[in-house]
Amino acid sequence: YSLSTAWDLSTASYDSVSFSVSGQETIPQGLFFKPDGTKMYVVGNTDSVYQYSLSTAWDLSTASYDSVSFNVSSQETSPTGLFFKDDGTKMYVVGTGSDTVYQYSFSTAWDVSTASYDSVSFSVSGQETIPSGLFFKPDGTKMYVVGESSDRVYQYSTGSYPTITLPASVQNSPSEAFEADRVTYTFFTDDGGTNVHLISEEIE
């Protein structure tokens, strides 16, 4: 659908464009697009996440199946919701089989065939026993789950990024503020910390 006024559903109109995923999934439940609109992901009752490419960003008429999928049945047998970290290195799946959000890592960003389970999960059963939708705040500090048992959206906090307080005098200051990466700083001081000499920073 297209919206003549951005974000305003009252201005929506159907583009007469669609794409069938029945060759892979006959009961699709969850959908996610890569932020640039060139990849699409679907999850459903086959317990697998399927990956598609769009040769023209955001245009479903140009979609094609990548012949790439990842099965999540070892964790969730009824997946309903799907979300990816904005850099494509993490995937999150929620479902009604266990009422739990599961976390996966990709060794190659946005490539479902490189996924592996992180052995990290979070149960939402205390709030929702039929979770169907999942969303994260862009900085990863908030998670939202919606479901059928209560018709509510539930909000969760996932933590915040750590901060580093530097002394008044720093030689070779950090190049920038990193909010989505783990950074290791190497430094030395000759006077107990009043003056610090930063030797290197390693971004992981």
Side-chain angles (χ1 to χ4, degrees):
Y1 300 81
S2 289
L3 285 71
S4 57
T5 300
W7 300 104
D8 186 349
L9 280 178
S10 68
T11 68
S13 60
Y14 178 43
D15 290 342
S16 297
V17 175
S18 62
F19 178 78
S20 174
V21 298
S22 62
Q24 295 78 49
E25 178 58 66
T26 57
I27 309 178
Q29 299 285 336
L31 174 68
F32 190 89
F33 279 82
K34 184 180 176 183
D36 67 3
T38 61
K39 292 287 185 183
M40 178 178 76
Y41 304 85
V42 171
V43 69
N45 279 23
T46 61
D47 306 333
S48 289
V49 179
Y50 295 96
Q51 177 180 309
Y52 304 82
S53 288
L54 286 74
S55 56
T56 300
W58 301 107
D59 186 348
L60 279 179
S61 68
T62 69
S64 61
Y65 177 44
D66 288 345
S67 297
V68 172
S69 64
F70 178 75
N71 189 277
V72 298
S73 61
S74 294
Q75 292 79 46
E76 177 56 64
T77 55
S78 299
T80 53
L82 182 65
F83 192 86
F84 286 73
K85 186 181 175 187
D86 60 3
D87 65 1
T89 61
K90 295 284 186 184
M91 177 177 75
Y92 305 87
V93 172
V94 70
T96 60
S98 61
D99 309 327
T100 296
V101 180
Y102 295 95
Q103 176 182 305
Y104 304 83
S105 287
F106 291 5
S107 56
T108 300
W110 302 107
D111 185 348
V112 166
S113 68
T114 69
S116 60
Y117 178 46
D118 287 346
S119 297
V120 174
S121 63
F122 179 79
S123 175
V124 297
S125 61
Q127 295 76 46
E128 179 56 61
T129 56
I130 312 178
S132 56
L134 176 67
F135 192 86
F136 281 81
K137 184 180 175 185
D139 68 2
T141 61
K142 295 288 184 182
M143 179 177 76
Y144 304 87
V145 172
V146 66
E148 299 176 33
S149 66
S150 64
D151 303 326
R152 290 177 181 270
V153 179
Y154 292 96
Q155 175 180 310
Y156 304 84
S157 292
T158 59
S160 58
Y161 295 113
T163 59
I164 180 171
T165 302
L166 298 170
S169 175
V170 179
Q171 300 296 317
N172 302 323
S173 298
S175 60
E176 61 181 286
F178 298 97
E179 294 185 346
D181 302 284
R182 178 181 297 174
V183 183
T184 300
Y185 295 107
T186 304
F187 61 88
F188 72 89
T189 178
D190 294 323
D191 52 15
T194 301
N195 296 283
V196 168
H197 301 267
L198 189 64
I199 302 172
S200 67
E201 60 183 22
E202 181 179 348
I203 306 168
E204 301 177 17

